[in-house]
Amino acid sequence: MSHEELDQLRAKLDDKNMELLKLLNERGNLVKKIGEVKSKAGTKRFDPVRERKMLDLIAEENEGPFETTTLQHLFKQVFKASLELMGEDEQKTLLVSRKKHPENTVVNVKDTLIGDGVQKLIAGPCSVESEEQVLTVAKALKERGISLLRGGAFKPRTSPYDFQGLGLEGLKILKKAGDQYDMAVISEIVSPNDIETALDYVDVIQIGARNMHNFELLKEVGMTDKPVLLKRGLSATISEFIHAAEYVLSRGNTNLMLCERGIRTYETATRNTLDISAIPILKQETHLPVLADVTHSTGRRDLLLPAAKAALAIGADAVMAEVHPDPAVALSDSAQQMDIAEFNEFVTTLRESNLLKDVAAKASI
Ligand code: PEP
Ligand code: MN
């Protein structure tokens, strides 16, 4: 074949591409019109019976050289793209999405703002074990100008034989500490039945990683106006996490914070893998404050500081870490909690490194 012949064939191919382009867009315009009619009539955009008929017709009329299965695959892609053209982009409609709500949501937790651009620390013991233990930690935090105290009263433990938490008694201890030191308290609730009681004791309801998929619990907290801290599930994708958050907002509660706490991967050097890039992704895709729990993600005391630095540098609105007066005898997570001296060092280093510019930084490094 001569060069001229090849050029002629290529020119014809270019023409066919342009014809296909025109036809695809003409088809797209028709699809959009159909979408408008369907939207007015309130009928579903996806019609599997009609799609099957179109695919059958393609099979009947196909004269080659393409295989019918190849063509059906290509047309299926066209149908899929058309459906997207017909319907709204789901992200646009999700209440948690930034497309729906471009401004940052700032959650007011007993007058401490989370998501206002000033990064915060949240700290406290893994489990509430006694009044003395919680008050000791609360005092230490208060002295460093930290006003967000965490502590678990209902503990979702891997083994039913491990310490399950003090329950209501634990919530009472937290409230006492919160009142005494004017701090906000954060505690996990694991059952929809306990939400109502918890409202009187805590300032933030935490939904733990193991309950991210407990949709009844999410709906129940969604019906309150209490700030909620939702943790990412152990094996949840970012999309699943975002949809879990949507459950809370869909019931009316917009006081929601997301918390990356590490996901399960094949890596065994850390307890979980801190998915650091999830933080800016969640900040881009949603308007909610995004927190990083450095304790449960790393499971290693020696990694708390570098992980906190990374989380703050990448834009987390707050960092959460566990502190216990005597970690060696802690009833849960003994290997990863800081004692008070270590915590003080942790706070000082973060403030001195200029990574944590929280309100108290100037007052007390
Ligand atoms: C906790 O914060 O006390 C806790 C149990 O964390 P997670 O749900 O992330 O495991
Ligand atoms: Mn813990």
Side-chain angles (χ1 to χ4, degrees):
M1 189 186 289
S2 69
H3 274 303
E4 285 100 83
E5 277 173 321
L6 189 61
D7 283 347
Q8 276 171 11
L9 288 174
R10 282 182 170 152
K12 278 189 182 167
L13 203 61
D14 286 342
D15 288 347
K16 287 294 163 203
N17 282 344
M18 291 310 105
E19 275 178 46
L20 272 175
L21 176 68
K22 198 160 170 282
L23 283 171
L24 280 170
N25 279 324
E26 279 174 13
R27 189 184 192 283
N29 281 325
L30 279 174
V31 159
K32 279 174 84 172
K33 281 195 186 129
I34 293 172
E36 280 162 27
V37 176
K38 284 191 169 184
S39 160
K40 276 191 197 125
T43 42
K44 273 204 162 156
R45 285 167 183 153
F46 177 57
D47 182 348
V49 177
R50 165 124 184 95
E51 210 173 85
R52 169 49 51 216
K53 272 192 191 149
M54 291 193 288
L55 289 174
D56 287 347
L57 197 61
I58 287 157
E60 270 168 49
E61 298 288 317
N62 181 27
E63 291 175 355
F66 283 117
E67 294 277 350
T68 292
T69 49
T70 307
L71 285 171
Q72 285 181 326
H73 176 72
L74 289 174
F75 270 90
K76 186 75 199 159
Q77 295 304 310
V78 173
F79 298 165
K80 195 165 164 263
S82 302
L83 208 57
E84 279 164 22
L85 204 58
M86 237 196 259
E88 270 193 280
D89 176 1
E90 193 203 7
Q91 275 289 95
K92 238 189 245 167
T93 62
L94 281 187
L95 296 169
V96 294
S97 85
R98 217 176 252 289
K99 283 185 190 158
K100 184 92 182 170
H101 184 284
E103 311 80 41
N104 287 330
T105 285
V106 178
V107 178
N108 185 332
V109 179
K110 211 175 166 184
D111 290 339
T112 297
L113 302 180
I114 304 190
D116 66 344
V118 181
Q119 293 166 305
K120 307 279 167 12
L121 279 184
I122 302 171
C126 180
S127 300
V128 173
E129 295 167 9
S130 69
E131 191 175 306
E132 194 198 349
Q133 172 229 22
V134 173
L135 291 178
T136 306
V137 176
K139 181 169 177 285
L141 297 186
K142 194 67 194 181
E143 281 169 4
R144 303 311 307 272
I146 293 161
S147 56
L148 301 163
L149 173 68
R150 63 142 285 142
F154 295 92
K155 295 302 299 178
R157 305 302 300 281
T158 302
S159 165
Y161 306 116
D162 285 340
F163 178 58
Q164 302 287 305
L166 297 180
L168 180 58
E169 184 54 30
L171 296 185
K172 288 182 179 165
I173 293 174
L174 283 170
K175 179 157 173 51
K176 186 167 179 192
D179 289 346
Q180 188 165 325
Y181 290 103
D182 189 25
M183 298 176 84
V185 297
I186 302 166
S187 202
E188 177 168 356
I189 297 301
V190 295
S191 158
N193 300 334
D194 291 324
I195 301 279
E196 213 179 306
T197 313
L199 296 178
D200 295 335
Y201 296 96
V202 303
D203 302 293
V204 177
I205 293 179
Q206 179 171 314
I207 305 292
R210 287 154 197 80
N211 272 314
M212 189 209 84
H213 275 128
N214 185 339
F215 300 123
E216 293 313 310
L217 190 58
L218 297 175
K219 288 183 202 165
E220 202 64 33
V221 290
M223 286 189 280
T224 73
D225 58 5
K226 189 65 92 180
V228 174
L229 189 164
L230 175 63
K231 290 198 153 191
R232 180 178 180 181
L234 275 70
S235 310
T237 62
I238 291 176
S239 168
E240 286 165 339
F241 191 19
I242 287 176
H243 282 85
E246 184 72 7
Y247 266 91
V248 179
L249 262 72
S250 70
R251 295 291 156 136
N253 191 350
T254 53
N255 294 315
L256 181 63
M257 297 165 269
L258 304 176
C259 182
E260 161 59 38
R261 49 79 70 208
I263 48 174
R264 187 164 281 185
T265 68
Y266 52 79
E267 185 51 70
T268 54
T270 46
R271 179 168 164 181
N272 291 287
T273 298
L274 174 62
D275 182 6
I276 197 81
S277 54
I279 297 165
I281 294 173
L282 290 165
K283 298 248 356 135
Q284 278 166 30
E285 295 203 358
T286 80
H287 50 85
L288 303 170
V290 181
L291 283 47
D293 173 342
V294 292
T295 301
H296 296 97
S297 49
T298 64
R300 285 175 50 163
R301 210 177 280 129
D302 60 333
L303 297 183
L304 299 177
L305 186 61
K309 284 183 178 176
L312 291 168
I314 212 163
D317 292 294
V319 163
M320 179 148 102
E322 288 183 346
V323 188
H324 190 287
D326 188 0
V329 298
L331 292 174
S332 55
D333 284 351
S334 137
Q336 65 206 42
Q337 303 198 60
M338 288 178 273
D339 65 21
I340 287 168
E342 285 163 340
F343 179 69
N344 279 331
E345 182 74 28
F346 174 84
V347 178
T348 303
T349 313
L350 288 179
R351 285 179 178 158
E352 278 178 353
S353 69
N354 250 349
L355 277 164
L356 180 67
K357 298 190 198 76
D358 58 350
V359 262
K362 283 168 243 99
S364 68
I365 279 188

